[in-house]
Amino acid sequence: DQQVKQNSPSLSVQEGRISILNCDYTNSMFDYFLWYKKYPAEGPTFLISISSIKDKNEDGRFTVFLNKSAKHLSLHIVPSQPGDSAVYFCAARETNSGGSNYKLTFGKGTLLTVNP
Amino acid sequence: KAGVTQTPRYLIKTRGQQVTLSCSPISGHRSVSWYQQTPGQGLQFLFEYFSETQRNKGNFPGRFSGRQFSNSRSEMNVSTLELGDSALYLCASSLAGPFQGYTFGSGTRLTVV
């Protein structure tokens, strides 16, 4: 059962336009959400995160929106640049009942291609 | 400061063999997590270690094991390799857990033939 879903395997946008990457989750115990970017032959790089008590977090060109009632989050990149072309992973953190052990559950990723 | 270092970068093994992968976390980081990435499956959580103790384990068979040393370096072992174990194995470290996310290494690409 996939608890974090990125339903779009790929997305193509023009340079300068907005890129919107979507992520849905099913586990109500997730309390923190993160986005990672991954280039080929490299490990994922942390991009931006959001706590479940917020609905928006912004960092430069990157903004993450969280809709808890819909169990949906999205990453907006404005304006998109060719260097943003990479695989983007959505991840969620669940606090277990003990409160001290954590793990991240990742989606399968979305390949973003920004065309010049 | 040095990032997360994984060795080796590439590995080719034969079915039935065993393999050990190594991960050196960022200095001061005590939490080390391992993930398996296969095409179309995203990152699958293997296990997490903190101060030499396994705190979390994913849904992988017992052929997958790991350990962490007192200097926080971690090793992952896969015994009786199967073709389906071919994947990119990623190690991530953090101070105490994925609070602000991890710092990932570049991974070890394991190919089982």
Side-chain angles (χ1 to χ4, degrees):
Chain A
D1 177 34
Q2 202 179 348
Q3 298 185 59
V4 177
K5 298 178 184 179
Q6 294 177 257
N7 292 317
S8 298
S10 63
L11 174 68
S12 183
V13 300
Q14 286 299 121
E15 181 179 4
R17 294 290 188 91
I18 183 171
S19 295
I20 300 177
L21 296 102
N22 294 305
C23 179
D24 297 296
Y25 63 96
T26 58
N27 188 341
S28 300
M29 295 300 292
F30 288 146
D31 64 351
Y32 199 73
F33 303 89
L34 308 93
W35 285 93
Y36 284 83
K37 179 169 75 171
K38 186 180 185 298
Y39 294 116
E42 294 183 14
T45 303
F46 170 73
L47 199 55
I48 192 169
S49 62
I50 187 167
S51 166
S52 60
I53 63 173
K54 296 187 175 181
D55 55 18
K56 178 182 174 182
N57 187 26
E58 193 172 352
D59 184 1
R61 297 185 297 114
F62 302 92
T63 303
V64 56
F65 295 92
L66 174 62
N67 182 334
K68 280 189 70 177
S69 60
K71 291 190 173 65
H72 176 83
L73 64 155
S74 60
L75 173 68
H76 292 210
I77 305 174
V78 183
S80 301
Q81 300 173 355
D84 295 330
S85 298
V87 176
Y88 288 78
F89 290 99
C90 169
R93 185 189 77 183
E94 174 185 359
T95 306
N96 73 2
S97 57
S100 60
N101 296 342
Y102 304 97
K103 67 174 183 178
L104 291 185
T105 301
F106 284 81
K108 293 186 178 182
T110 296
L111 173 62
L112 173 65
T113 303
V114 180
N115 302 302
Chain B
K1 60 182 178 181
V4 178
T5 303
Q6 290 189 247
T7 56
R9 286 296 307 275
Y10 302 93
L11 205 50
I12 299 176
K13 288 286 188 179
T14 304
R15 242 182 337 175
Q17 287 186 312
Q18 76 165 18
V19 67
T20 299
L21 312 181
S22 179
C23 172
S24 293
I26 289 174
S27 178
H29 284 191
R30 296 167 66 189
S31 169
V32 174
S33 297
W34 289 88
Y35 287 82
Q36 180 196 65
Q37 185 189 8
T38 53
Q41 290 300 317
L43 280 72
Q44 303 287 313
F45 175 76
L46 280 155
F47 26 66
E48 186 228 7
Y49 287 88
F50 181 82
S51 294
E52 303 178 66
T53 299
Q54 186 183 87
R55 296 198 299 184
N56 276 299
K57 191 177 192 306
N59 297 322
F60 279 81
R63 301 186 296 106
F64 292 81
S65 63
R67 59 177 176 169
Q68 186 181 33
F69 301 94
S70 58
N71 61 359
S72 292
R73 189 177 72 86
S74 177
E75 287 182 348
M76 189 193 109
N77 184 277
V78 188
S79 62
T80 321
L81 284 166
E82 300 176 0
L83 295 179
D85 297 333
S86 295
L88 179 67
Y89 290 88
L90 291 160
C91 162
S93 78
S94 63
L95 283 171
F99 295 100
Q100 294 297 327
Y102 303 116
T103 299
F104 279 89
S106 295
T108 294
R109 171 71 64 183
L110 171 65
T111 302
V112 182
V113 297

